[in-house]
Amino acid sequence: MIRWLEVRLMNVPLLDLQAQYSTIKDKVRAAVDHVLESQRFILGAQVSALEEEIGKFCGVPFAVGVASGTDALLISLKALGVGPGDAVVTVPFTFFSTAGTIVNLGARPVFVDIEETGFEMDPERLSAFFSRECTFNLTTRKTVHKASGTVIKAIVPVHLYGQCADMDEILAIAQRHNVPVVEDACQAIGAAYKGRNAGAMGDLGCFSFFPSKNLGGAGDGGMIITSNPKLAEHVRLLRAHGAHQRYFHSIVGFNSRLDELQAAILRVKLPYLQEWSNARHENAVRYGMDFQAAGLLSQVKPPEVLPDRSHIFHQYVIRCEMRDDLQAFLKAQGIGSEIYYPVPLHEQECFRSLGYAATDLPRSHAASKETLALPVYPELSDAQRGHVVASMAAFYRGQR
Ligand SMILES: *Cc1c(COP(=O)(O)O)cnc(C)c1O
């Protein structure tokens, strides 16, 4: 009876940042104090050191701290010359800013669908888009979208939930059509594809340090990585008003810097990142075994982990039957879950003028109806995971 009560009352949030903070509290406070004592808040030693550390972590020579993951995308696209009259190819099954940044630069997002079973850009759809809907201008050496007459300025694959898109295929297509690639690696810092690091494969890679990401700050933050010295210099200029020297502006840039305070906190956390991501991975593996043991595999499809990729499980996302009812049931059992994302971008009200029907990108549409993110954070206990699985089993038993 007591055991039953304990299980019934167990709380399993989707993410428990308090649990993480309690393990590093002293170090975080000391780091914050250090910055406060220095009274240096903008582009000082902490940001430079973090840039160097992230560059090393990802195996690239250049890393540039910016104000958010959204700004990392915005500035990367701007550095590639994306502007009015251009088009950028991406996926609709992603966080808003993947496409929002394209529109904010005056360009047009063009959506290609995700893979049949995975959640990332389908290289076959990308290839079909280029061969059916674009022409290559031999004089300008640019790829032009026939219907709109716009130049395709970039491809933005998204490493959704912490697993890399099929980058070899995507990069080969991009090269064939002479289009640069910006990786939206905002959910994938530390993930890998055939031994290469997320963010380090395309021309530019973007990270977010939003508090709920695997490496999260105490507010907004982001970073751009690249191996191209010219692009590194360009994004460095763009993040601080385009000034190569204070008050001497060579281009028109933004005010988008990573704060010293954020950098100091992120430097405390970075050494733990691998360990935290491993713990997430371990939880994901156990969920898979638990679902099988509980006989849930006909209603619940665990995320596919491809052998050539190392998944950091920013989110553990299942496809499941009766998703909305399951979510409500879990909530009543004290279990947090989330739908990432309930409305794919091609169906958003603000993008109605792009002219997409829901059925134009059927896999993204289906994913928005079937997916549910379950708690997978590193500190999740066996008992908590057990409560999630037992509750799911109870839900589906009740449906028979
Ligand atoms: C979080 C996220 C972003 C934006 O990052 P912010 O730091 O919140 O601006 C962009 N793309 C994806 C896929 C994300 O998950």
Side-chain angles (χ1 to χ4, degrees), residues 58 208 298 300:
C58 297
S208 165
S298 50
V300 174

Side-chain angles (χ1 to χ4, degrees), residues 68-70 73 94-95 97-98 158 184 186-187 208 210 213 221 341:
S68 68
T70 302
L73 288 164
T94 176
F95 179 62
S97 52
T98 312
V158 181
D184 183 341
C186 285
Q187 298 187 3
S208 165
F210 187 80
K213 300 288 159 87
Y341 297 91

